[in-house]
Amino acid sequence: MRKLVARNRITRSEAQAFRKRWKIANAAEREELCNIPEDEKLKQLATLMRIAKDLGWTKAPEVEVNEVRDRWNKLRKAYHA
C-alpha cells in the first residue's frame, strides 16, 4: 500500500498522466451521452425538474444569480472567451 504524502505540487509527468486519463474518461462519457435516446434524456430532465420543484427550488434568489453571473464573467475574462 502506498503511503500518502501531503504536497502542494505535482510533477509534469503526473499532470500529463492525469490529463490523459481525464481525456479518456471525457471521451467515454461523451460517447455514452450521445447514445442515450432523446426520449430518455427528456425523462431524465423531467425527473430533475420535478425534484427541484418538490424541494422548492423553483426560483433562484437574485443575489445568487448575480454571483453566478459574476463568476462566469470572471472565467470568460481569465480565459479570453
Side-chain angles (χ1 to χ4, degrees):
M1 183 176 213
R2 279 179 36 182
K3 185 178 180 181
L4 295 177
V5 178
R7 58 184 177 167
N8 294 335
R9 299 184 57 111
I10 62 173
T11 65
R12 182 179 188 89
S13 62
E14 289 171 330
Q16 289 170 337
F18 177 84
R19 187 171 183 194
K20 183 179 179 180
R21 288 191 307 271
W22 271 107
K23 281 186 175 186
I24 292 168
N26 286 338
E29 185 174 8
R30 269 192 305 278
E31 179 70 25
E32 189 176 302
L33 289 172
C34 286
N35 290 326
I36 296 174
E38 282 79 19
D39 63 326
E40 183 63 28
K41 290 179 186 178
L42 193 57
K43 287 178 190 174
Q44 292 172 348
L45 177 60
T47 300
L48 288 172
M49 291 177 72
R50 187 177 63 248
I51 290 169
K53 184 178 178 185
D54 291 346
L55 292 172
W57 296 348
T58 54
K59 185 164 176 21
E62 192 62 32
V63 172
E64 290 180 16
V65 171
N66 289 333
E67 288 175 3
V68 171
R69 283 189 184 128
D70 289 344
R71 280 188 228 126
W72 273 111
N73 287 329
K74 286 177 186 177
L75 287 170
R76 273 192 217 101
K77 287 177 186 175
Y79 291 98
H80 309 289

